[in-house]
């Protein structure tokens, strides 16, 4: 049985009163209070054997619209860009990691695009309460929690944009951080993005690859994919995300005798890497390619690297006043590109050309002999 959140049609049915309604509902959710640990026990997986599946086709379409692929890391740190003509200030992204990780085009998202995301997040919350999410197959549960987390993060960043750093955003009357504000509500349990990670998923899934399914809206964190997680693709997408992150500069670097690793591993350490040394190295080795494998073998000490909390967009969370008008066939288009975004897109094009020349943009095609494909494909491996 497939269940489809009703927000599939929300993108086409936008109401002028969407913004006030969002604010009122959010205040109510935040005011729900702090959920006790016992409240989260209801989300401990207990699959019933039912074959229920959740349909995320709306979210798939939204991700295809919102997310720009940046390609895998070249492990080339970027230098500081030159300031704009006539000023000493550098607008937009200036981090050496600025070409790593996919981007959400927050600066182009208007209220009309954000209202359906809010409605969709509410639909996910409602469905999880109505069907008892904990009784679904484990992969279905995992896909649900990751999608809910990521939709909520994208929605909140979009509604509070521009903001240079999602980590520093303050929400609700208590001015709490995005990561700790309990604006999500499932079955009467108020929860934050961090709660989903550390009180639902990390305690109940043994595979540390789940770390890479959670988008934090920042360059320093795991990348957002252009596909929603589903019960059938969650293992595949987590592997893709893990390989991209581990082999990127923001994931693993070497400095002196130290192996510098992302700060996201600190949060996950109590669940997966008690020593933050040998345990983490063993995990990284499962996804590491040649350069990173060499670093893991050569560097005896594991240290936490600087975490770049700049928003994972194209503009660096800034509203630049200057812009270029975009023309097509001599006609003015609605999109207006700022100099910093134009520079970012040029740098991305250069990176993609380098990847192409190195043969790293080629897709993989697997040819199976006739009769080797079963009529009913085997179930996807479950993420434990």
């Amino acid at each position: 049985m497939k269940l489809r959140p009703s927000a599939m049609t929300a993108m086409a049915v936008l109401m002028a009163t969407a913004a006030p309604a969002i604010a009122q509902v959010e205040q109510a959710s935040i005011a729900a209070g702090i959920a006790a640990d016992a409240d989260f026990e209801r989300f401990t997986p207990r699959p019933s054997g039912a074959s229920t599946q959740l349909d995320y086709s709306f979210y798939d379409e939204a991700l295809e619209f919102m997310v720009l692929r940046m390609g895998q890391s070249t492990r080339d740190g970027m230098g500081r860009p030159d300031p704009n003509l006539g000023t000493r200030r550098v607008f937009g992204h200036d981090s050496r990691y600025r070409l790593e990780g996919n981007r959400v085009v927050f600066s182009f998202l208007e209220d009309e695009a954000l209202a359906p995301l809010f409605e969709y997040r509410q639909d996910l919350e409602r469905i999880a309460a109505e069907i008892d999410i904990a009784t679904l197959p484990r992969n279905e549960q995992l896909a649900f929690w990751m999608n809910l987390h990521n939709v909520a993060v994208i929605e909140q960043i979009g509604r509070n944009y521009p903001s240079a750093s999602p980590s520093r955003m303050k929400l609700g009357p208590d001015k709490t951080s995005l990561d700790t504000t309990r604006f999500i509500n499932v079955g009467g349990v108020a929860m934050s993005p961090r709660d989903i990670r550390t009180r639902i998923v990390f305690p109940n899934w043994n595979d540390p690859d789940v770390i890479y399914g959670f988008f934090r809206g920042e360059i320093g964190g795991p990348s957002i994919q252009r596909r929603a997680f589903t019960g059938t693709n969650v293992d595949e997408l987590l592997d893709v995300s893990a390989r991209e992150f581990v082999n990127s500069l923001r994931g693993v670097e070497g400095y002196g005798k130290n192996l510098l690793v992302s700060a996201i591993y600190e949060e996950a350490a109590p669940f997966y890497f008690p020593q933050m040394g040998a345990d983490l190295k063993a995990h990284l080795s499962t996804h590491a390619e040649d350069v990173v494998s060499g670093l893991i073998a050569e560097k005896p000490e594991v240290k936490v690297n600087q975490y770049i909390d700049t928003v994972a967009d194209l503009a660096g969370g800034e509203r630049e006043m200057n812009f270029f008008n975009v023309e097509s066939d001599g006609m003015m288009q609605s999109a207006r590109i700022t100099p910093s975004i134009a520079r970012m897109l040029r740098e991305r094009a250069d990176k993609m050309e380098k990847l192409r020349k190195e043969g790293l943009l080629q897709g993989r095609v697997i040819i199976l002999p006739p009769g080797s494909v079963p009529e009913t494909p085997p179930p996807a491996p479950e993420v434990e």
Side-chain angles (χ1 to χ4, degrees):
M1 177 177 66
K2 284 191 176 182
L3 295 177
R4 183 189 304 260
S6 62
M8 277 291 294
T9 60
M11 193 68 79
V13 186
L14 297 169
M15 298 178 295
T17 57
I22 289 174
Q24 292 170 4
V25 175
E26 176 143 304
Q27 293 298 326
S29 295
I30 294 173
I34 298 176
D37 289 337
D39 291 332
F40 285 87
E41 293 179 3
R42 74 177 71 177
F43 303 120
T44 301
R46 51 183 191 285
S48 64
S51 59
T52 303
Q53 295 177 303
L54 298 181
D55 185 330
Y56 298 105
S57 51
F58 168 82
Y59 187 36
D60 267 328
E61 294 171 4
L63 289 172
E64 289 179 7
F65 168 74
M66 294 187 298
V67 177
L68 177 69
R69 284 195 180 97
M70 296 295 289
Q72 67 192 75
S73 172
T74 61
R75 295 194 65 81
D76 294 329
M78 298 295 294
R80 183 174 173 81
D82 294 329
N84 294 344
L85 185 65
T87 177
R88 296 182 180 181
R89 179 175 178 183
V90 174
F91 284 91
H93 289 283
D94 59 5
S95 162
R96 59 193 297 264
Y97 303 144
R98 65 181 178 271
L99 295 185
E100 294 192 348
N102 294 341
R103 301 303 164 85
V104 177
V105 291
F106 287 114
S107 55
F108 296 102
L109 296 182
E110 304 293 342
D111 291 342
E112 290 80 5
L114 295 171
L117 284 179
F118 171 75
E119 295 172 6
Y120 189 67
R121 190 246 292 176
Q122 284 189 307
D123 279 343
L124 292 178
E125 295 169 346
R126 174 182 54 77
I127 283 180
E130 290 179 355
I131 65 173
D132 190 359
I133 194 71
T135 64
L136 298 184
R138 288 182 62 88
N139 275 13
E140 289 290 337
Q141 295 182 50
L142 183 58
F144 168 82
W145 289 118
M146 289 177 172
N147 289 333
L148 176 60
H149 176 285
N150 295 348
V151 166
V153 167
I154 292 172
E155 170 215 334
Q156 290 297 316
I157 296 174
R159 289 173 49 204
N160 290 277
Y161 195 86
S163 175
S165 170
S167 292
R168 302 176 193 179
M169 285 169 42
K170 300 300 180 183
L171 305 180
D174 296 330
K175 302 299 181 182
T176 49
S177 70
L178 166 63
D179 206 36
T180 60
T181 301
R182 291 183 166 92
F183 62 92
I184 306 165
N185 195 300
V186 177
V189 179
M191 60 186 69
S192 66
R194 180 184 293 177
D195 287 332
I196 292 177
R197 298 193 304 271
T198 64
R199 302 177 79 175
I200 297 175
V201 173
F202 291 174
N204 292 303
W205 273 267
N206 297 327
D207 189 342
D209 281 5
V210 299
I211 298 169
Y212 308 104
F214 294 109
F215 179 57
R216 300 164 190 245
E218 299 168 332
I219 288 179
S223 189
I224 184 73
Q225 299 298 323
R226 293 191 78 208
R227 286 191 289 164
F229 290 102
T230 68
T232 56
N233 74 16
V234 63
D235 185 68
E236 170 203 350
L237 288 188
L238 287 177
D239 182 69
V240 168
S241 294
R243 288 185 178 277
E244 187 279 327
F245 190 79
V246 170
N247 293 290
S248 70
L249 287 176
R250 69 194 196 284
V252 178
E253 284 194 272
Y255 183 77
K257 67 177 182 178
N258 296 324
L259 184 72
L260 302 180
V261 300
S262 170
I264 71 166
Y265 295 116
E266 282 190 305
E267 177 185 79
F271 304 93
Y272 303 114
F273 320 117
Q275 304 304 319
M276 271 294 282
D279 295 335
L280 180 54
K281 280 188 168 186
H283 164 70
L284 295 174
S285 296
T286 63
H287 297 295
E289 296 173 358
D290 292 345
V291 174
V292 175
S293 290
L295 292 175
I296 294 171
E298 296 165 8
K299 307 296 182 183
E301 303 291 333
V302 175
K303 301 292 184 182
V304 174
N305 200 1
Q306 178 186 12
Y307 178 81
I308 302 300
D309 63 3
T310 308
V311 63
D313 71 343
L314 291 175
E318 296 180 327
R319 294 288 194 196
E320 193 172 355
M321 297 306 296
N322 298 322
F323 58 86
F324 302 124
N325 287 316
V326 179
E327 294 186 2
S328 177
D329 296 328
M331 299 295 292
M332 195 74 69
Q333 303 298 304
S334 59
R336 300 190 302 180
I337 304 297
T338 63
S340 63
I341 292 179
R343 183 251 303 165
M344 183 79 176
L345 294 176
R346 287 194 300 268
E347 292 176 338
R348 174 184 179 272
D350 291 341
K351 171 188 172 179
M352 291 300 189
E353 179 62 14
K354 178 179 180 179
L355 291 174
R356 186 192 66 79
K357 289 180 177 179
E358 295 177 356
L360 299 177
L361 286 183
Q362 297 177 354
R364 294 183 298 172
V365 178
I366 301 174
I367 301 177
L368 300 175
S372 63
V373 181
E375 292 183 3
T376 302
E382 284 205 341
V383 181
E384 292 295 333

